[in-house]
């Protein structure tokens, strides 16, 4: 199988502006993920960030992307609507999309879900335990029954999303809440995966299980086809019909 072409998009503001985050991710979350998944499969990895021209994305780049990974938090509203339109089109035509953590409130995730994608949250440095519900699913390959992150931000239900096609993990938090942490959907010809962990002040994107899930999901969500289904063509009959259309548009 050809290498999966992964483009990792990161807002890349926290790591520049906040020392506590810079300490954890000196080169940015996008670089930590790129390094972390590089050894876990056949990947051709590129990165893109908000402040680059056109946010580092273009028709050409997305046409050459099998799966786009998205991390954003404090600047969702600075992502141009034209970029959101372009990413949505590529997903509907077959590109995969992996949305991480606070990307739940990104324009592209809300667009593709059609809901508010809201949730409860709390920053209390508490433990998260993620339970593997679907060990036979390719995204869960090599993942134990559960694993723990000693410190994470809490996300709690209700997560305002459409019911996932597959729910792969549920998180439990020390403070008592639970959360649907790993969810898949199909939109058009594209596969979408949401994965919860990854608050910027914690070393979550160095965790072996988190990285394996992102690597597995990159393979699972990779582009299978490229089909533009945006048109609704008038169709000629294959067999004779009683009242054939005289003029086809
Ligand atoms: Zn967070």
């Amino acid at each position: 199988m050809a290498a999966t072409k992964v483009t990792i998009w990161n807002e890349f503001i926290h790591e520049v502006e906040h020392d506590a985050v810079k300490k954890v991710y000196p080169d940015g979350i996008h670089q930590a993920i790129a390094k972390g998944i590089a050894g876990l499969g056949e990947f051709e990895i590129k990165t893109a960030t908000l402040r680059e021209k056109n946010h580092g994305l273009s028709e050409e780049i997305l046409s050459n992307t099998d799966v786009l990974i998205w991390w954003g938090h404090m600047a969702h509203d600075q992502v141009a609507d034209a970029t959101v339109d372009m990413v949505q089109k590529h997903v509907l035509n077959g590109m995969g999309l992996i949305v991480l953590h606070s990307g739940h409130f990104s324009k592209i995730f809300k667009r593709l879900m059609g809901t508010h994608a809201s949730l409860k949250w709390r920053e209390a440095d508490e433990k998260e335990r993620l339970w593997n519900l679907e060990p036979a699913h390719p995204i869960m390959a090599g993942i134990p029954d559960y694993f723990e992150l000693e410190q994470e931000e809490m996300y709690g239900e209700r997560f305002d999303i459409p019911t996932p096609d597959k729910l792969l993990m549920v998180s439990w938090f020390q403070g008592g809440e639970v959360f649907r942490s790993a969810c898949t959907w199909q939109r058009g010809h594209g596969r979408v995966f949401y994965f919860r962990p990854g608050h910027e002040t914690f070393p979550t994107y160095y965790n072996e299980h988190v990285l394996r899930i992102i690597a597995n999901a990159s393979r699972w969500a990779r582009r299978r086809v490229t089909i533009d289904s945006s048109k609704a063509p008038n169709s000629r009959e294959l067999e004779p019909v009683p009242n054939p259309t005289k003029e086809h548009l």
Side-chain angles (χ1 to χ4, degrees):
M1 196 189 298
T4 301
K5 295 174 190 162
V6 182
T7 301
I8 304 173
W9 191 91
N10 180 21
E11 187 178 274
F12 197 33
I13 297 178
H14 284 294
E15 304 95 314
V16 175
E17 295 185 358
H18 304 136
D19 287 342
V21 181
K22 197 185 290 182
K23 215 180 273 177
V24 184
Y25 297 109
D27 301 319
I29 283 172
H30 52 304
Q31 296 297 351
I33 294 172
K35 283 196 194 103
I37 67 170
L40 297 176
E42 284 279 299
F43 298 120
E44 271 178 44
I45 302 172
K46 292 192 181 75
T47 62
T49 57
L50 180 73
R51 297 277 185 252
E52 292 172 48
K53 185 166 175 271
N54 298 323
H55 312 320
L57 300 174
S58 67
E59 284 290 345
E60 196 189 340
I61 287 167
L62 294 181
S63 297
N64 274 299
T65 295
D66 293 324
V67 60
L68 178 66
I69 297 176
W70 195 275
W71 196 102
H73 179 224
M74 57 190 286
H76 294 314
D77 60 344
Q78 292 176 35
V79 176
D81 290 338
T83 299
V84 180
D85 292 345
M86 183 171 67
V87 172
Q88 179 190 23
K89 182 191 76 180
H90 281 269
V91 170
L92 296 178
N93 291 359
M95 183 184 75
L97 178 70
I98 297 174
V99 174
L100 298 173
H101 188 61
S102 40
H104 73 90
F105 255 176
S106 62
K107 286 183 183 177
I108 184 60
F109 188 65
K110 290 194 288 186
R111 173 82 64 86
L112 288 165
M113 294 297 109
T115 56
H116 296 301
S118 54
L119 45 78
K120 296 192 183 81
W121 63 281
R122 171 174 67 237
E123 285 185 55
D125 301 349
E126 64 200 281
K127 184 192 282 190
E128 174 177 10
R129 181 177 296 136
L130 294 101
W131 289 95
N132 180 353
L133 307 181
E134 297 289 348
H137 194 282
I139 297 178
M140 291 292 107
I143 302 302
D145 268 5
Y146 69 86
F147 66 92
E148 293 175 350
L149 301 169
E150 282 310 311
Q151 291 192 320
E152 253 296 347
E153 179 182 11
M154 187 284 292
Y155 278 7
E157 297 283 350
R158 186 176 181 261
F159 187 16
D160 186 33
I161 46 170
T163 300
D165 295 346
K166 284 274 183 191
L167 174 60
L168 306 182
M169 302 198 92
V170 166
S171 286
W172 165 91
F173 291 89
Q174 206 169 348
E177 289 87 351
V178 295
F179 191 77
R180 288 169 288 172
S181 274
C183 307
T184 74
W185 298 267
Q186 178 145 340
R187 289 292 181 266
H189 303 295
R191 296 180 177 192
V192 179
F193 178 59
Y194 174 79
F195 189 41
R196 193 217 79 83
H199 187 65
E200 64 275 4
T201 56
F202 302 118
T204 300
Y205 293 120
Y206 301 107
N207 178 280
E208 58 171 322
H209 302 305
V210 168
L211 291 169
R212 184 165 298 282
I213 287 169
I214 295 171
N216 289 346
S218 298
R219 273 189 295 274
W220 173 84
R222 74 181 186 278
R223 182 188 296 281
R224 313 288 163 138
V225 296
T226 302
I227 300 171
D228 179 357
S229 297
S230 60
K231 306 285 189 300
N234 190 217
S235 184
R236 282 189 187 281
E237 58 276 14
L238 302 181
E239 327 289 346
V241 291
N243 186 21
T245 309
K246 299 288 182 295
E247 277 184 36
H248 286 270
L249 301 171

